[in-house]
Amino acid sequence: MDAEVLGDLGNCCVLVAAHHDADDVIAEFLWVGLWHGVYPSRLACVQARLDVTKPCISPYGVYDGAEVHLHITGSIGAALVPWWIHWFRHINRNVVVNASISRSASRFVTKDAIVGLCNGQVWEDEWDDAKSEDWRQGRTGDSDCIVVFPASLDTVMRLAQGRSDSPALMMMQVTHLPIILCEALPVINSVIEHWRNILLERPIVTTAPPVVGTKATDRDSQETGFNLPGAIEMANELISATREGDCGE
């Protein structure tokens, strides 16, 4: 994570320094998620100590695939994505992480930060930046699934309406890979629910289980789908079903 991203997080009041024992380095990253309310506090502290003091990683957060694609969209939660990539790769050291970044997400996170943390292909969701044309085949590299993290309201609506006016949207419209949406929706109303339900009729599309988070605006509690650990669990289920031929279009 570069200095610019850390500075942005500090300015948004979502970065809190950790003051604990020998696990300060890992725990400091974990506290970013704790303050934002998207990681269970007790479990996070236990995971930090396990990761630092033991060579055997807890099964929590283990990804069953060999490669994953993260599509980052324009929610303030995008500012926390570098930390979550760090967390994911710390647990899944041999997994290739690819990423695409929407234009609106670049307001909250830099491509340089994502490039520095990923070990696969990273591209902006623009026609002139997605130089590899794997997305035309519905994937990047050999990804086993696509996780939209966070999935903004605009992204969910565009996917539901069949829009394909960017490389990442085209990739998700034509893919046969599982798609997991980590929804960051400000509200739910009848229109949003209508289009969301249409999108979820695709057998390969599902959502990460909601967790209670803290709104960046007024600090009130609210359910959010910005839940990468939960998305990994859903991805593992869908990857298994795909391999067994139970999930497809």
Side-chain angles (χ1 to χ4, degrees):
M1 186 178 296
D2 62 20
E4 181 179 356
V5 172
L6 289 172
D8 289 346
L9 291 174
N11 292 336
C12 292
C13 300
V14 294
L15 178 63
V16 177
H19 302 287
H20 291 295
D21 306 322
D23 51 61
D24 280 346
V25 174
I26 299 298
E28 182 169 1
F29 282 98
L30 286 166
W31 279 111
V32 179
L34 298 183
W35 186 256
H36 201 62
V38 295
Y39 198 98
S41 57
R42 292 182 182 177
L43 183 56
C45 293
V46 169
Q47 184 71 44
R49 287 176 174 81
L50 284 173
D51 291 350
V52 170
T53 61
K54 299 181 181 180
C56 181
I57 300 297
S58 163
Y60 186 80
V62 172
Y63 176 66
D64 291 342
E67 197 162 336
V68 64
H69 183 94
L70 298 180
H71 180 52
I72 307 163
T73 72
S75 161
I76 194 170
L80 300 176
V81 170
W83 175 82
W84 281 109
I85 295 174
H86 170 89
W87 173 86
F88 179 87
R89 292 199 59 209
H90 183 73
I91 296 172
N92 302 279
R93 296 177 185 271
N94 296 320
V95 173
V96 175
V97 179
N98 305 298
S100 52
I101 308 159
S102 75
R103 179 182 296 179
S104 55
S106 64
R107 297 171 55 206
F108 306 105
V109 65
T110 65
K111 180 183 176 182
D112 287 345
I114 303 303
V115 168
L117 289 164
C118 289
N119 57 345
Q121 300 179 40
V122 177
W123 41 274
E124 294 177 341
D125 190 19
E126 303 285 348
W127 299 111
D128 58 353
D129 196 60
K131 294 181 173 57
S132 169
E133 296 198 357
D134 290 351
W135 52 266
R136 294 182 184 274
Q137 309 303 319
R139 68 192 323 135
T140 294
D142 292 317
S143 296
D144 300 286
C145 76
I146 299 168
V147 180
V148 187
F149 180 69
S152 67
L153 175 59
D154 181 65
T155 300
V156 173
M157 295 297 100
R158 291 168 75 193
L159 278 173
Q161 295 165 13
R163 298 273 295 277
S164 56
D165 51 0
S166 75
L169 282 176
M170 174 77 78
M171 175 178 69
M172 289 186 281
Q173 298 294 10
V174 304
T175 191
H176 295 290
L177 298 178
I179 300 173
I180 299 90
L181 305 173
C182 295
E183 296 175 304
L185 308 181
V187 296
I188 291 289
N189 57 37
S190 58
V191 173
I192 294 170
E193 188 172 12
H194 169 77
W195 287 106
R196 182 176 177 273
N197 289 339
I198 289 176
L199 179 57
L200 293 176
E201 288 179 4
R202 290 183 71 184
I204 62 169
V205 177
T206 191
T207 59
V211 293
V212 176
T214 302
K215 294 167 64 178
T217 49
D218 55 17
R219 315 310 298 167
D220 284 347
S221 295
Q222 179 177 308
E223 280 198 343
T224 176
F226 188 72
N227 176 14
L228 186 58
I232 293 168
E233 292 183 15
M234 300 304 299
N236 289 341
E237 291 180 11
L238 289 174
I239 290 170
S240 176
T242 300
R243 289 169 178 168
E244 295 169 2
D246 295 333
C247 178
E249 293 185 293

